[in-house]
Amino acid sequence: MSDHDNSPISARAARQLFAELKAAPALVLAVSGGPDSVALMWLAARWRRSLARGPELTVVTVDHGLRKEAAREAREVKRLATELGLAHRTLRWRGAKPKAGLPAAAREARYRLLAQAARAAGASHVLTAHTRDDQAETLLMRLCRGSGIAGLSAMARLTARDGLVLARPLLDVPKSQLIATLKRAGIGFAEDPTNHDMAFTRPRLRALLPQLAAEGGDARTLVRLSARLARANAAVEVLTDGAERFLALRDRGRQKQPGVRSFEAKTSYEAEAFAALPEEVRLRLLLRAIDALGHEGPAELGKVETLLAALDQAMGAGRHAPANGRGILKQTLLKQTLAGALISLAGGRIHIAPAPARRSKSGPKSGPKSGPKSGPAGR
């Protein structure tokens, strides 16, 4: 770790961290009371005071109701926010808490509540205090899950979510520098004991970082790897965009089948042309279509890989099968559902459409949910 990583953040450096947010009408700051988020609040307040005109800042603390200390920590955040001249709200995650997958459920609840607060405040962005250390840990978590290139790109500085922009202005800043900043300013902060609870994955991986650093795999190196993967992922996305246009152009003169709705026709690919594309591009085309038309998404990468293998096998079998009375091109060679989408191979084409809603034995059928979700971690 360099000496710079242990030095306080200057006022000039803070202005650079938030510069791209100057034109926003209002910003919501997610502040839990820990050192990272308290530093975010203090730096943002100092930046805002340096502007003649700028966004309104609202601090939001989410009390998940999981620790008795959380209410006191929220009050302390409110006290400091008031001293800094910032509005503050505490939102609570109410209702039953799951016994399994608690961190993920708490994270979803936190972002849902933050989005509600942002809309109420007229804010365009929600700011979180993710640091370089968080980015390195996220990469390790996704690596252990076998994520694809998109997942290993880890967190982006700006991400669209729930009609808002999730901004992470501290993503290139080490945690040690934030703590040094707070110490210089004489500002206290809380320590969440769950950050050291080895029952959770992230603290266990965090404990491995010193050993990885000794082998050259420190947070800076891991973040550099994540950035390079993000660059590769962006390039593959451009290739996938081009593949979509290529398949659409091949279909331009094709007459639509009677009774096929236009949005279903747009997810119908010529099998031969599809098969000639690189495997990663084909996977992404399937992911896009399934996530757009399915109502149980997002689709898991591993399951889409299995689907693609089945499609390849069926297309190979179709090419080598002898024609019968019906004609091989008229046969349905594959038909299955995934994430609420129906995928079929028939007539020399791959079709993707919404799957029929499932019917339960005791109740009404389950209908589509309100739009696709994004899930890059498994990608």
Side-chain angles (χ1 to χ4, degrees):
M1 184 180 293
S2 67
D3 292 339
H4 174 73
D5 288 352
N6 291 309
S7 61
I9 298 173
S10 67
R12 180 179 179 181
R15 287 195 296 271
Q16 294 174 341
L17 291 173
F18 299 101
E20 61 188 330
L21 302 170
K22 182 179 178 180
L27 304 172
V28 159
L29 312 178
V31 182
S32 65
D36 303 348
S37 61
V38 169
L40 171 70
M41 175 172 61
W42 190 81
L43 290 167
R46 184 169 64 169
W47 162 71
R48 179 60 184 86
R49 286 197 301 271
S50 71
L51 303 175
R53 297 179 61 185
E56 294 293 324
L57 304 184
T58 300
V59 178
V60 175
T61 303
V62 176
D63 182 353
H64 294 91
L66 301 174
R67 297 182 299 112
K68 61 182 181 181
E69 302 89 355
R72 175 181 54 79
E73 292 166 2
R75 290 193 296 271
E76 185 59 24
V77 172
K78 182 177 181 178
R79 181 193 64 77
L80 180 56
T82 301
E83 289 181 2
L84 294 171
L86 304 179
H88 178 271
R89 292 183 62 190
T90 297
L91 302 178
R92 292 173 175 80
W93 181 27
R94 304 187 186 279
K97 309 298 189 292
K99 293 183 179 179
L102 182 59
R107 182 171 58 252
E108 285 300 315
R110 178 166 64 252
Y111 284 128
R112 184 180 68 252
L113 292 169
L114 288 169
Q116 292 174 4
R119 283 189 282 269
S124 56
H125 295 66
V126 172
L127 276 58
T128 66
H130 291 103
T131 65
R132 188 173 74 190
D133 304 68
D134 295 317
Q135 183 76 306
E137 293 163 11
T138 299
L139 174 65
L140 288 177
M141 289 180 70
R142 295 181 179 179
L143 184 65
C144 291
R145 293 173 184 168
S147 295
I149 298 176
L152 294 177
S153 301
M155 295 180 285
R157 186 176 175 86
L158 299 174
T159 305
R161 186 185 179 107
D162 296 329
L164 301 164
V165 178
L166 189 62
R168 303 177 178 94
L170 308 181
L171 199 55
D172 296 326
V173 179
K175 184 185 187 78
S176 57
Q177 200 171 11
L178 297 179
I179 292 176
T181 302
L182 293 179
K183 287 183 176 179
R184 170 72 65 84
I187 297 174
F189 51 84
E191 287 286 359
D192 185 348
T194 59
N195 288 331
H196 308 284
D197 189 344
M198 294 301 169
F200 299 112
T201 302
R202 190 176 286 270
R204 292 197 300 271
L205 291 175
R206 187 178 298 134
L208 295 176
L209 282 172
Q211 299 175 54
L212 292 174
E215 300 295 335
D218 59 6
R220 189 187 299 274
T221 301
L222 292 173
V223 168
R224 184 164 59 246
L225 170 61
S226 176
R228 288 170 174 168
L229 289 168
R231 189 172 63 210
N233 181 64
V236 178
E237 281 292 286
V238 171
L239 291 176
T240 306
D241 291 340
E244 280 189 322
R245 291 192 292 270
F246 164 72
L247 293 171
L249 284 172
R250 290 184 68 90
D251 284 347
R252 178 171 288 180
R254 187 176 71 89
Q255 190 173 10
K256 291 182 181 178
Q257 299 175 3
V260 177
R261 290 174 288 177
S262 60
F263 74 91
E264 290 178 340
K266 290 177 182 176
T267 56
S268 174
Y269 305 131
E270 181 187 341
E272 288 282 344
F274 180 87
L277 296 170
E279 183 177 1
E280 180 67 20
V281 172
R282 287 183 286 147
L283 279 170
R284 293 184 184 225
L285 287 171
L286 290 174
L287 276 165
R288 288 182 181 186
I290 292 169
D291 284 352
L293 294 173
H295 48 81
E296 298 175 5
E300 295 178 20
L301 177 58
K303 292 183 178 179
V304 180
E305 288 172 335
T306 302
L307 168 66
L308 180 59
L311 278 169
D312 286 345
Q313 185 177 9
M315 285 187 287
R319 281 192 294 268
H320 297 99
N324 55 25
R326 295 175 57 203
I328 189 67
L329 290 179
K330 294 183 180 180
Q331 294 183 30
T332 298
L333 302 176
L334 179 141
K335 187 175 184 179
Q336 69 180 65
T337 59
L338 176 60
L342 176 64
I343 303 94
S344 60
L345 172 62
R349 300 189 66 81
I350 299 167
H351 303 278
I352 305 166
R358 298 179 182 179
R359 292 182 179 274
S360 63
K361 294 181 180 180
S362 59
K365 63 182 180 180
S366 59
K369 298 178 182 178
S370 57
K373 299 177 182 178
S374 60
R379 305 291 173 82

